[in-house]
Amino acid sequence: MPQHTTQDLLPIVQFAVADALGVEEAEVVAEASLVDDLGAESIDMLDILFRIQRESGIKVSVSDMEALMRGPDGVDLFDDDEVVTEAGLAQLERALPQFDRTQLSGPLTAEQVVGLFTVQNLVDMVHDRARAAAEEN
């Protein structure tokens, strides 16, 4: 498997997202939220990840997204009411560099967390998965 950089993965991810969502590639900028800005739904995520794998040879899954957000320690992000806990907020700040909890106007819910994930987060996740796969081989 060839070594991939985030620079060569960005166009692959942009194409996959644009193609799956039926949007112009020019709209699929690094800082765009997959859900809030580009309109992705959960089924679209599977399609996007499949397209990335087909174009790059890098297998990624929805569980990789969850693992990224939970971090290496597997932080439980939510309380029983599906609201992000204090530990969860701290983990999201580590996992998603663009996330700034000071911008929240109220509690962050599980449903809202998916809306935080950007094109750049997806590129970074694919890059990390490619690096891990290379290390396994």
Side-chain angles (χ1 to χ4, degrees):
M1 179 180 298
Q3 285 292 95
H4 289 282
T5 65
T6 55
Q7 291 82 13
D8 66 32
L9 287 172
L10 180 59
I12 292 169
V13 170
Q14 287 174 311
F15 174 78
V17 170
D19 200 33
L21 299 180
V23 299
E24 295 294 323
E25 276 188 68
E27 294 177 62
V28 186
V29 294
E31 58 278 354
S33 161
L34 294 169
V35 173
D36 294 344
D37 295 332
L38 300 174
E41 296 179 6
S42 57
I43 191 73
D44 295 321
M45 293 309 301
L46 296 173
D47 190 16
I48 291 166
L49 297 176
F50 172 75
R51 290 167 191 264
I52 290 169
Q53 181 178 348
R54 188 176 61 209
E55 293 295 318
S56 69
I58 302 165
K59 183 175 176 155
V60 288
S61 67
V62 173
S63 62
D64 292 328
M65 293 175 76
E66 182 180 325
L68 171 74
M69 288 196 237
R70 288 181 177 271
D73 297 330
V75 172
D76 189 5
L77 302 176
F78 310 106
D79 64 16
D80 292 338
D81 295 323
E82 295 296 310
V83 173
V84 178
T85 64
E86 183 61 33
L89 290 170
Q91 174 53 37
L92 288 173
E93 287 178 318
R94 287 188 295 275
L96 308 175
Q98 77 281 359
F99 175 64
D100 179 3
R101 74 167 94 185
T102 65
Q103 301 299 309
L104 295 174
S105 59
L108 184 64
T109 64
E111 192 173 293
Q112 294 169 310
V113 168
V114 177
L116 300 174
F117 210 80
T118 66
V119 171
Q120 186 63 54
N121 297 140
L122 185 55
V123 169
D124 293 343
M125 182 187 77
V126 173
H127 183 253
D128 289 347
R129 190 66 204 112
R131 188 172 47 233
E135 289 172 5
E136 290 172 6
N137 294 329

PDB file of all heavy atoms in Angstrom, residues 9-34 37-39 48 52 118-120 122-123:
ATOM      1  N   LEU A   9      -4.497  12.935   0.267  1.00  0.00           N
ATOM      2  CA  LEU A   9      -5.793  12.360   0.646  1.00  0.00           C
ATOM      3  C   LEU A   9      -6.931  13.373   0.526  1.00  0.00           C
ATOM      4  O   LEU A   9      -8.077  12.985   0.272  1.00  0.00           O
ATOM      5  CB  LEU A   9      -5.738  11.817   2.071  1.00  0.00           C
ATOM      6  CG  LEU A   9      -4.943  10.530   2.248  1.00  0.00           C
ATOM      7  CD1 LEU A   9      -4.790  10.194   3.723  1.00  0.00           C
ATOM      8  CD2 LEU A   9      -5.590   9.382   1.492  1.00  0.00           C
ATOM      9  N   LEU A  10      -6.634  14.660   0.694  1.00  0.00           N
ATOM     10  CA  LEU A  10      -7.699  15.675   0.633  1.00  0.00           C
ATOM     11  C   LEU A  10      -8.493  15.602  -0.671  1.00  0.00           C
ATOM     12  O   LEU A  10      -9.724  15.543  -0.624  1.00  0.00           O
ATOM     13  CB  LEU A  10      -7.141  17.079   0.874  1.00  0.00           C
ATOM     14  CG  LEU A  10      -8.170  18.209   0.837  1.00  0.00           C
ATOM     15  CD1 LEU A  10      -9.263  18.012   1.881  1.00  0.00           C
ATOM     16  CD2 LEU A  10      -7.489  19.554   1.029  1.00  0.00           C
ATOM     17  N   PRO A  11      -7.857  15.566  -1.847  1.00  0.00           N
ATOM     18  CA  PRO A  11      -8.675  15.492  -3.066  1.00  0.00           C
ATOM     19  C   PRO A  11      -9.477  14.192  -3.185  1.00  0.00           C
ATOM     20  O   PRO A  11     -10.587  14.198  -3.726  1.00  0.00           O
ATOM     21  CB  PRO A  11      -7.662  15.611  -4.216  1.00  0.00           C
ATOM     22  CG  PRO A  11      -6.326  15.740  -3.615  1.00  0.00           C
ATOM     23  CD  PRO A  11      -6.448  15.729  -2.129  1.00  0.00           C
ATOM     24  N   ILE A  12      -8.946  13.105  -2.667  1.00  0.00           N
ATOM     25  CA  ILE A  12      -9.681  11.833  -2.680  1.00  0.00           C
ATOM     26  C   ILE A  12     -10.935  11.955  -1.824  1.00  0.00           C
ATOM     27  O   ILE A  12     -12.029  11.564  -2.226  1.00  0.00           O
ATOM     28  CB  ILE A  12      -8.782  10.680  -2.189  1.00  0.00           C
ATOM     29  CG1 ILE A  12      -7.669  10.404  -3.201  1.00  0.00           C
ATOM     30  CG2 ILE A  12      -9.604   9.414  -1.920  1.00  0.00           C
ATOM     31  CD1 ILE A  12      -6.586   9.467  -2.701  1.00  0.00           C
ATOM     32  N   VAL A  13     -10.773  12.517  -0.622  1.00  0.00           N
ATOM     33  CA  VAL A  13     -11.911  12.697   0.282  1.00  0.00           C
ATOM     34  C   VAL A  13     -12.896  13.702  -0.311  1.00  0.00           C
ATOM     35  O   VAL A  13     -14.115  13.477  -0.286  1.00  0.00           O
ATOM     36  CB  VAL A  13     -11.429  13.119   1.685  1.00  0.00           C
ATOM     37  CG1 VAL A  13     -12.606  13.538   2.563  1.00  0.00           C
ATOM     38  CG2 VAL A  13     -10.645  11.979   2.338  1.00  0.00           C
ATOM     39  N   GLN A  14     -12.395  14.798  -0.862  1.00  0.00           N
ATOM     40  CA  GLN A  14     -13.285  15.795  -1.457  1.00  0.00           C
ATOM     41  C   GLN A  14     -14.128  15.188  -2.572  1.00  0.00           C
ATOM     42  O   GLN A  14     -15.337  15.413  -2.643  1.00  0.00           O
ATOM     43  CB  GLN A  14     -12.484  16.982  -1.996  1.00  0.00           C
ATOM     44  CG  GLN A  14     -11.947  17.872  -0.909  1.00  0.00           C
ATOM     45  CD  GLN A  14     -11.030  18.959  -1.461  1.00  0.00           C
ATOM     46  OE1 GLN A  14     -10.119  18.669  -2.245  1.00  0.00           O
ATOM     47  NE2 GLN A  14     -11.271  20.178  -1.037  1.00  0.00           N
ATOM     48  N   PHE A  15     -13.491  14.405  -3.435  1.00  0.00           N
ATOM     49  CA  PHE A  15     -14.221  13.768  -4.528  1.00  0.00           C
ATOM     50  C   PHE A  15     -15.271  12.800  -3.985  1.00  0.00           C
ATOM     51  O   PHE A  15     -16.417  12.800  -4.432  1.00  0.00           O
ATOM     52  CB  PHE A  15     -13.256  13.042  -5.477  1.00  0.00           C
ATOM     53  CG  PHE A  15     -13.980  12.268  -6.536  1.00  0.00           C
ATOM     54  CD1 PHE A  15     -14.519  12.912  -7.638  1.00  0.00           C
ATOM     55  CD2 PHE A  15     -14.145  10.898  -6.417  1.00  0.00           C
ATOM     56  CE1 PHE A  15     -15.217  12.198  -8.609  1.00  0.00           C
ATOM     57  CE2 PHE A  15     -14.843  10.174  -7.382  1.00  0.00           C
ATOM     58  CZ  PHE A  15     -15.376  10.833  -8.480  1.00  0.00           C
ATOM     59  N   ALA A  16     -14.882  11.982  -3.021  1.00  0.00           N
ATOM     60  CA  ALA A  16     -15.806  10.999  -2.450  1.00  0.00           C
ATOM     61  C   ALA A  16     -17.016  11.678  -1.822  1.00  0.00           C
ATOM     62  O   ALA A  16     -18.163  11.246  -2.022  1.00  0.00           O
ATOM     63  CB  ALA A  16     -15.094  10.128  -1.417  1.00  0.00           C
ATOM     64  N   VAL A  17     -16.773  12.735  -1.067  1.00  0.00           N
ATOM     65  CA  VAL A  17     -17.868  13.459  -0.404  1.00  0.00           C
ATOM     66  C   VAL A  17     -18.772  14.123  -1.436  1.00  0.00           C
ATOM     67  O   VAL A  17     -20.002  13.989  -1.384  1.00  0.00           O
ATOM     68  CB  VAL A  17     -17.313  14.493   0.601  1.00  0.00           C
ATOM     69  CG1 VAL A  17     -18.417  15.410   1.109  1.00  0.00           C
ATOM     70  CG2 VAL A  17     -16.617  13.791   1.759  1.00  0.00           C
ATOM     71  N   ALA A  18     -18.172  14.823  -2.392  1.00  0.00           N
ATOM     72  CA  ALA A  18     -18.963  15.511  -3.412  1.00  0.00           C
ATOM     73  C   ALA A  18     -19.796  14.525  -4.220  1.00  0.00           C
ATOM     74  O   ALA A  18     -20.990  14.751  -4.463  1.00  0.00           O
ATOM     75  CB  ALA A  18     -18.040  16.312  -4.335  1.00  0.00           C
ATOM     76  N   ASP A  19     -19.180  13.416  -4.616  1.00  0.00           N
ATOM     77  CA  ASP A  19     -19.869  12.415  -5.423  1.00  0.00           C
ATOM     78  C   ASP A  19     -21.010  11.765  -4.644  1.00  0.00           C
ATOM     79  O   ASP A  19     -22.116  11.598  -5.168  1.00  0.00           O
ATOM     80  CB  ASP A  19     -18.851  11.361  -5.887  1.00  0.00           C
ATOM     81  CG  ASP A  19     -19.313  10.572  -7.084  1.00  0.00           C
ATOM     82  OD1 ASP A  19     -20.024  11.133  -7.943  1.00  0.00           O
ATOM     83  OD2 ASP A  19     -18.955   9.379  -7.165  1.00  0.00           O
ATOM     84  N   ALA A  20     -20.759  11.414  -3.394  1.00  0.00           N
ATOM     85  CA  ALA A  20     -21.785  10.760  -2.578  1.00  0.00           C
ATOM     86  C   ALA A  20     -22.950  11.694  -2.251  1.00  0.00           C
ATOM     87  O   ALA A  20     -24.096  11.258  -2.182  1.00  0.00           O
ATOM     88  CB  ALA A  20     -21.172  10.221  -1.287  1.00  0.00           C
ATOM     89  N   LEU A  21     -22.642  12.967  -2.021  1.00  0.00           N
ATOM     90  CA  LEU A  21     -23.680  13.912  -1.589  1.00  0.00           C
ATOM     91  C   LEU A  21     -24.295  14.712  -2.740  1.00  0.00           C
ATOM     92  O   LEU A  21     -25.250  15.455  -2.533  1.00  0.00           O
ATOM     93  CB  LEU A  21     -23.111  14.871  -0.542  1.00  0.00           C
ATOM     94  CG  LEU A  21     -22.593  14.224   0.734  1.00  0.00           C
ATOM     95  CD1 LEU A  21     -22.056  15.292   1.683  1.00  0.00           C
ATOM     96  CD2 LEU A  21     -23.672  13.389   1.407  1.00  0.00           C
ATOM     97  N   GLY A  22     -23.709  14.590  -3.933  1.00  0.00           N
ATOM     98  CA  GLY A  22     -24.232  15.348  -5.065  1.00  0.00           C
ATOM     99  C   GLY A  22     -24.013  16.841  -4.930  1.00  0.00           C
ATOM    100  O   GLY A  22     -24.866  17.628  -5.347  1.00  0.00           O
ATOM    101  N   VAL A  23     -22.883  17.226  -4.336  1.00  0.00           N
ATOM    102  CA  VAL A  23     -22.540  18.648  -4.215  1.00  0.00           C
ATOM    103  C   VAL A  23     -21.297  18.917  -5.059  1.00  0.00           C
ATOM    104  O   VAL A  23     -20.593  17.991  -5.474  1.00  0.00           O
ATOM    105  CB  VAL A  23     -22.290  19.062  -2.739  1.00  0.00           C
ATOM    106  CG1 VAL A  23     -23.535  18.850  -1.898  1.00  0.00           C
ATOM    107  CG2 VAL A  23     -21.108  18.324  -2.139  1.00  0.00           C
ATOM    108  N   GLU A  24     -21.038  20.174  -5.317  1.00  0.00           N
ATOM    109  CA  GLU A  24     -19.851  20.561  -6.075  1.00  0.00           C
ATOM    110  C   GLU A  24     -18.605  20.348  -5.217  1.00  0.00           C
ATOM    111  O   GLU A  24     -18.622  20.622  -4.019  1.00  0.00           O
ATOM    112  CB  GLU A  24     -19.930  22.037  -6.476  1.00  0.00           C
ATOM    113  CG  GLU A  24     -21.064  22.352  -7.426  1.00  0.00           C
ATOM    114  CD  GLU A  24     -20.888  21.700  -8.788  1.00  0.00           C
ATOM    115  OE1 GLU A  24     -19.739  21.620  -9.275  1.00  0.00           O
ATOM    116  OE2 GLU A  24     -21.899  21.250  -9.363  1.00  0.00           O
ATOM    117  N   GLU A  25     -17.525  19.864  -5.846  1.00  0.00           N
ATOM    118  CA  GLU A  25     -16.279  19.659  -5.103  1.00  0.00           C
ATOM    119  C   GLU A  25     -15.800  20.957  -4.448  1.00  0.00           C
ATOM    120  O   GLU A  25     -15.211  20.916  -3.379  1.00  0.00           O
ATOM    121  CB  GLU A  25     -15.183  19.089  -6.010  1.00  0.00           C
ATOM    122  CG  GLU A  25     -15.253  17.592  -6.140  1.00  0.00           C
ATOM    123  CD  GLU A  25     -14.066  17.013  -6.867  1.00  0.00           C
ATOM    124  OE1 GLU A  25     -12.946  17.071  -6.314  1.00  0.00           O
ATOM    125  OE2 GLU A  25     -14.269  16.496  -7.981  1.00  0.00           O
ATOM    126  N   ALA A  26     -16.078  22.088  -5.071  1.00  0.00           N
ATOM    127  CA  ALA A  26     -15.662  23.378  -4.516  1.00  0.00           C
ATOM    128  C   ALA A  26     -16.311  23.655  -3.159  1.00  0.00           C
ATOM    129  O   ALA A  26     -15.770  24.415  -2.352  1.00  0.00           O
ATOM    130  CB  ALA A  26     -15.991  24.503  -5.493  1.00  0.00           C
ATOM    131  N   GLU A  27     -17.460  23.041  -2.888  1.00  0.00           N
ATOM    132  CA  GLU A  27     -18.140  23.205  -1.594  1.00  0.00           C
ATOM    133  C   GLU A  27     -17.494  22.357  -0.506  1.00  0.00           C
ATOM    134  O   GLU A  27     -17.680  22.621   0.676  1.00  0.00           O
ATOM    135  CB  GLU A  27     -19.612  22.796  -1.705  1.00  0.00           C
ATOM    136  CG  GLU A  27     -20.454  23.671  -2.596  1.00  0.00           C
ATOM    137  CD  GLU A  27     -21.862  23.133  -2.690  1.00  0.00           C
ATOM    138  OE1 GLU A  27     -22.545  23.075  -1.643  1.00  0.00           O
ATOM    139  OE2 GLU A  27     -22.286  22.775  -3.807  1.00  0.00           O
ATOM    140  N   VAL A  28     -16.755  21.329  -0.899  1.00  0.00           N
ATOM    141  CA  VAL A  28     -16.200  20.357   0.040  1.00  0.00           C
ATOM    142  C   VAL A  28     -14.819  20.853   0.492  1.00  0.00           C
ATOM    143  O   VAL A  28     -13.783  20.287   0.162  1.00  0.00           O
ATOM    144  CB  VAL A  28     -16.135  18.949  -0.585  1.00  0.00           C
ATOM    145  CG1 VAL A  28     -15.702  17.924   0.458  1.00  0.00           C
ATOM    146  CG2 VAL A  28     -17.487  18.560  -1.176  1.00  0.00           C
ATOM    147  N   VAL A  29     -14.841  21.935   1.245  1.00  0.00           N
ATOM    148  CA  VAL A  29     -13.604  22.512   1.781  1.00  0.00           C
ATOM    149  C   VAL A  29     -13.275  21.850   3.115  1.00  0.00           C
ATOM    150  O   VAL A  29     -14.150  21.260   3.759  1.00  0.00           O
ATOM    151  CB  VAL A  29     -13.733  24.041   1.947  1.00  0.00           C
ATOM    152  CG1 VAL A  29     -13.876  24.720   0.586  1.00  0.00           C
ATOM    153  CG2 VAL A  29     -14.897  24.406   2.843  1.00  0.00           C
ATOM    154  N   ALA A  30     -12.021  21.936   3.497  1.00  0.00           N
ATOM    155  CA  ALA A  30     -11.539  21.236   4.693  1.00  0.00           C
ATOM    156  C   ALA A  30     -12.370  21.550   5.933  1.00  0.00           C
ATOM    157  O   ALA A  30     -12.654  20.660   6.733  1.00  0.00           O
ATOM    158  CB  ALA A  30     -10.067  21.563   4.939  1.00  0.00           C
ATOM    159  N   GLU A  31     -12.776  22.791   6.107  1.00  0.00           N
ATOM    160  CA  GLU A  31     -13.478  23.176   7.330  1.00  0.00           C
ATOM    161  C   GLU A  31     -14.988  22.929   7.286  1.00  0.00           C
ATOM    162  O   GLU A  31     -15.689  23.142   8.281  1.00  0.00           O
ATOM    163  CB  GLU A  31     -13.198  24.640   7.686  1.00  0.00           C
ATOM    164  CG  GLU A  31     -13.569  25.650   6.640  1.00  0.00           C
ATOM    165  CD  GLU A  31     -12.525  25.834   5.537  1.00  0.00           C
ATOM    166  OE1 GLU A  31     -11.432  25.266   5.601  1.00  0.00           O
ATOM    167  OE2 GLU A  31     -12.831  26.565   4.583  1.00  0.00           O
ATOM    168  N   ALA A  32     -15.514  22.433   6.163  1.00  0.00           N
ATOM    169  CA  ALA A  32     -16.953  22.178   6.050  1.00  0.00           C
ATOM    170  C   ALA A  32     -17.365  20.981   6.909  1.00  0.00           C
ATOM    171  O   ALA A  32     -16.730  19.937   6.892  1.00  0.00           O
ATOM    172  CB  ALA A  32     -17.330  21.918   4.594  1.00  0.00           C
ATOM    173  N   SER A  33     -18.442  21.151   7.648  1.00  0.00           N
ATOM    174  CA  SER A  33     -19.023  20.059   8.425  1.00  0.00           C
ATOM    175  C   SER A  33     -19.763  19.134   7.468  1.00  0.00           C
ATOM    176  O   SER A  33     -20.538  19.589   6.619  1.00  0.00           O
ATOM    177  CB  SER A  33     -20.004  20.618   9.454  1.00  0.00           C
ATOM    178  OG  SER A  33     -20.874  19.611   9.905  1.00  0.00           O
ATOM    179  N   LEU A  34     -19.512  17.842   7.616  1.00  0.00           N
ATOM    180  CA  LEU A  34     -20.156  16.875   6.721  1.00  0.00           C
ATOM    181  C   LEU A  34     -21.673  16.920   6.840  1.00  0.00           C
ATOM    182  O   LEU A  34     -22.390  16.823   5.841  1.00  0.00           O
ATOM    183  CB  LEU A  34     -19.650  15.462   7.015  1.00  0.00           C
ATOM    184  CG  LEU A  34     -18.169  15.235   6.699  1.00  0.00           C
ATOM    185  CD1 LEU A  34     -17.695  13.909   7.259  1.00  0.00           C
ATOM    186  CD2 LEU A  34     -17.915  15.315   5.214  1.00  0.00           C
ATOM    187  N   ASP A  37     -22.974  21.489   7.141  1.00  0.00           N
ATOM    188  CA  ASP A  37     -22.692  22.304   5.953  1.00  0.00           C
ATOM    189  C   ASP A  37     -23.014  21.585   4.642  1.00  0.00           C
ATOM    190  O   ASP A  37     -23.463  22.212   3.687  1.00  0.00           O
ATOM    191  CB  ASP A  37     -21.225  22.735   5.926  1.00  0.00           C
ATOM    192  CG  ASP A  37     -20.866  23.664   7.076  1.00  0.00           C
ATOM    193  OD1 ASP A  37     -21.758  24.390   7.573  1.00  0.00           O
ATOM    194  OD2 ASP A  37     -19.690  23.654   7.490  1.00  0.00           O
ATOM    195  N   LEU A  38     -22.740  20.278   4.602  1.00  0.00           N
ATOM    196  CA  LEU A  38     -22.863  19.549   3.335  1.00  0.00           C
ATOM    197  C   LEU A  38     -24.090  18.644   3.263  1.00  0.00           C
ATOM    198  O   LEU A  38     -24.383  18.080   2.215  1.00  0.00           O
ATOM    199  CB  LEU A  38     -21.586  18.741   3.078  1.00  0.00           C
ATOM    200  CG  LEU A  38     -20.314  19.598   2.980  1.00  0.00           C
ATOM    201  CD1 LEU A  38     -19.081  18.713   2.879  1.00  0.00           C
ATOM    202  CD2 LEU A  38     -20.398  20.568   1.810  1.00  0.00           C
ATOM    203  N   GLY A  39     -24.802  18.495   4.374  1.00  0.00           N
ATOM    204  CA  GLY A  39     -26.069  17.768   4.367  1.00  0.00           C
ATOM    205  C   GLY A  39     -25.973  16.255   4.413  1.00  0.00           C
ATOM    206  O   GLY A  39     -26.942  15.568   4.080  1.00  0.00           O
ATOM    207  N   ILE A  48     -19.722   7.452   1.552  1.00  0.00           N
ATOM    208  CA  ILE A  48     -18.481   8.232   1.496  1.00  0.00           C
ATOM    209  C   ILE A  48     -17.286   7.355   1.847  1.00  0.00           C
ATOM    210  O   ILE A  48     -16.267   7.363   1.136  1.00  0.00           O
ATOM    211  CB  ILE A  48     -18.565   9.455   2.440  1.00  0.00           C
ATOM    212  CG1 ILE A  48     -19.575  10.474   1.900  1.00  0.00           C
ATOM    213  CG2 ILE A  48     -17.190  10.088   2.643  1.00  0.00           C
ATOM    214  CD1 ILE A  48     -19.974  11.547   2.898  1.00  0.00           C
ATOM    215  N   ILE A  52     -14.094   6.353  -0.515  1.00  0.00           N
ATOM    216  CA  ILE A  52     -12.707   6.621  -0.115  1.00  0.00           C
ATOM    217  C   ILE A  52     -11.883   5.342  -0.231  1.00  0.00           C
ATOM    218  O   ILE A  52     -10.764   5.361  -0.757  1.00  0.00           O
ATOM    219  CB  ILE A  52     -12.650   7.201   1.316  1.00  0.00           C
ATOM    220  CG1 ILE A  52     -13.213   8.622   1.325  1.00  0.00           C
ATOM    221  CG2 ILE A  52     -11.213   7.174   1.857  1.00  0.00           C
ATOM    222  CD1 ILE A  52     -13.441   9.197   2.709  1.00  0.00           C
ATOM    223  N   THR A 118     -15.733  17.436  10.458  1.00  0.00           N
ATOM    224  CA  THR A 118     -15.467  18.174   9.221  1.00  0.00           C
ATOM    225  C   THR A 118     -14.768  17.309   8.180  1.00  0.00           C
ATOM    226  O   THR A 118     -14.292  16.204   8.469  1.00  0.00           O
ATOM    227  CB  THR A 118     -14.575  19.397   9.494  1.00  0.00           C
ATOM    228  OG1 THR A 118     -13.281  18.939   9.918  1.00  0.00           O
ATOM    229  CG2 THR A 118     -15.186  20.336  10.518  1.00  0.00           C
ATOM    230  N   VAL A 119     -14.659  17.852   6.989  1.00  0.00           N
ATOM    231  CA  VAL A 119     -13.912  17.194   5.916  1.00  0.00           C
ATOM    232  C   VAL A 119     -12.468  16.965   6.371  1.00  0.00           C
ATOM    233  O   VAL A 119     -11.914  15.886   6.154  1.00  0.00           O
ATOM    234  CB  VAL A 119     -13.967  18.037   4.617  1.00  0.00           C
ATOM    235  CG1 VAL A 119     -13.028  17.480   3.558  1.00  0.00           C
ATOM    236  CG2 VAL A 119     -15.413  18.116   4.101  1.00  0.00           C
ATOM    237  N   GLN A 120     -11.869  17.951   7.032  1.00  0.00           N
ATOM    238  CA  GLN A 120     -10.481  17.791   7.495  1.00  0.00           C
ATOM    239  C   GLN A 120     -10.370  16.686   8.536  1.00  0.00           C
ATOM    240  O   GLN A 120      -9.415  15.916   8.525  1.00  0.00           O
ATOM    241  CB  GLN A 120      -9.929  19.099   8.071  1.00  0.00           C
ATOM    242  CG  GLN A 120      -8.454  19.001   8.429  1.00  0.00           C
ATOM    243  CD  GLN A 120      -7.582  18.727   7.210  1.00  0.00           C
ATOM    244  OE1 GLN A 120      -7.654  19.448   6.230  1.00  0.00           O
ATOM    245  NE2 GLN A 120      -6.758  17.690   7.282  1.00  0.00           N
ATOM    246  N   LEU A 122     -12.161  14.057   8.596  1.00  0.00           N
ATOM    247  CA  LEU A 122     -12.241  12.828   7.816  1.00  0.00           C
ATOM    248  C   LEU A 122     -10.900  12.531   7.150  1.00  0.00           C
ATOM    249  O   LEU A 122     -10.420  11.395   7.180  1.00  0.00           O
ATOM    250  CB  LEU A 122     -13.362  12.939   6.783  1.00  0.00           C
ATOM    251  CG  LEU A 122     -13.659  11.699   5.947  1.00  0.00           C
ATOM    252  CD1 LEU A 122     -13.953  10.487   6.817  1.00  0.00           C
ATOM    253  CD2 LEU A 122     -14.822  11.985   5.010  1.00  0.00           C
ATOM    254  N   VAL A 123     -10.274  13.545   6.581  1.00  0.00           N
ATOM    255  CA  VAL A 123      -8.950  13.369   5.962  1.00  0.00           C
ATOM    256  C   VAL A 123      -7.956  12.868   7.003  1.00  0.00           C
ATOM    257  O   VAL A 123      -7.205  11.919   6.751  1.00  0.00           O
ATOM    258  CB  VAL A 123      -8.453  14.692   5.321  1.00  0.00           C
ATOM    259  CG1 VAL A 123      -6.988  14.580   4.914  1.00  0.00           C
ATOM    260  CG2 VAL A 123      -9.325  15.070   4.138  1.00  0.00           C
TER     261      VAL A 123
END
